Amino acid sequence: MASSSGLHAARARGGNARQLVHELLRARIVGLELPPGAPLSENELAAELGVSRTPVRESLILLAEEGLVDVYPQLGTFVSRIRERDIASAQFVREALESAALRDSVERTDERDLLELRALLAAQADAERRADPETFFRLDEEFHARLMAAGGHPEAWSFVQHAKAHLDRARRLSLPLEHQLALLIRQHTDVVDAVERRDAAGADAALRGHLRQVFADVETVRTQHPELFADEDAPPRPRRGQRKRPTAG
Amino acid sequence: MASSSGLHAARARGGNARQLVHELLRARIVGLELPPGAPLSENELAAELGVSRTPVRESLILLAEEGLVDVYPQLGTFVSRIRERDIASAQFVREALESAALRDSVERTDERDLLELRALLAAQADAERRADPETFFRLDEEFHARLMAAGGHPEAWSFVQHAKAHLDRARRLSLPLEHQLALLIRQHTDVVDAVERRDAAGADAALRGHLRQVFADVETVRTQHPELFADEDAPPRPRRGQRKRPTAG
DNA sequence: TGACGTCGGCTACCATACAAGTACGTCAGA
DNA sequence: TCTGACGTACTTGTATGGTAGCCGACGTCA
């Protein structure tokens, strides 16, 4: 009910039901609140969110396009398991785009951009002191987006975001590791420092090192949580998970 | 009726109505059969294609996500005009991804990849001799996709394709220029030659030159067909075009 | 005991009905 | 002639009904 009224309120304020449901489900999936393999029923979601099946269905179609859910007609919709290829592809796309944008950042960045980036770094350090990975996650996203904007390519961020969703799902589990946040902030700082020095090669090296660090974290998570990943290449049968039937009998 | 029964037949063979409508509309938009600014009525399309509003609507949502149509609630859906920013963003994304993939191609490409690429070049030359820009367009797409696959990044092609749609809409008008096809083929050949020589810098330069040539063509089209482009940044009112009312009265 | 056929319940897909809102033609009035 | 209000016809957004198909459990038969 809380979700329902909350959505209703948001709907009165802002956008349409589809966008809200889409953002909500996306956040739940990327935040692993809806883990890979979880079944998503149009009916259940519609009932839970207090809307009809239509906006839910349209949201699921968009999520399917992003690769975050798999739709099996007449069978069900499931949060997609993390696939080796998706991860590799996402990493490639992200590195290519952010690196290319950074090249332009080194030339174009002005004082104002640097101030904003520094402010984000300070906020990240604050989140690290408070041991607040959720806030850090948000600030991390904002940092990378801001960096691309500084290079004059704010629109391209949506492509990175698209790819990043797959990485983030896995990465989120590795973030709480206490040493991680400080390390990532250090790497962020290195990038900004190099940009400020107008050191293109240094900035590129720092960024790629950072992104590959993230990539490595994913591999760590993989060994710790193999159930989130797809074992084989193409599991034709999603092996419908146990529906809600809590050992009743 | 032809469209309707054709879709019905395809539907019996293959995918669902949504995918078919999506692909059809996308092809019409990128091929300028549906020019920028054209109104798209869910009802009209549904009637024409012999399906209900639902799959049409879902297709339009996907096209809106790609930036190919603009949806104004309670007002109408229109083929998006070509925007300066979309073009620039698309060019940036494409260049970054294809260039990064090419870097890997130079290291990974084997004899088989080269043979396929050479075969595509030959087919392109054939299309040029027959003055068949449509076929060339398809082969061009296949060439670039194959090039990325040779670098080990076939999945990333979908990102390029996403961005490319905006460029293609404008570019299509420039292709029939008689000298163009030969020039593009020459540039393609230069890229493959450099890859075969394992000349990373040369390949990168050739590819970027090629992609920027394409970008320049867009500017040429812009001066010749300004009506396809969005004059201002954000036209809040789409100025609904005259509905079908052929001077009747 | 094990294999096979049937049936119930679930799914997504599609079609249709209703609601909310905008643009534009028409018409009354100054 | 010009201006402004109103009604109609259109739009997308949302809700709901109906259909085909798949899964899994149950009952039947060998």
Side-chain angles (χ1 to χ4, degrees), chain B residues 40-41 53 57 74 77:
Chain B
L40 295 175
S41 163
R53 267 184 62 206
R57 172 178 171 75
Q74 276 70 38
T77 301

Side-chain angles (χ1 to χ4, degrees), chain A residues 11 16-18 50-55 58 74-75 237 240:
Chain A
R11 196 168 148 189
N16 53 20
R18 176 178 73 247
V51 297
S52 79
R53 280 159 33 218
T54 302
E58 290 171 350
Q74 276 69 38
L75 209 163
R237 290 300 158 72
R240 158 189 312 216

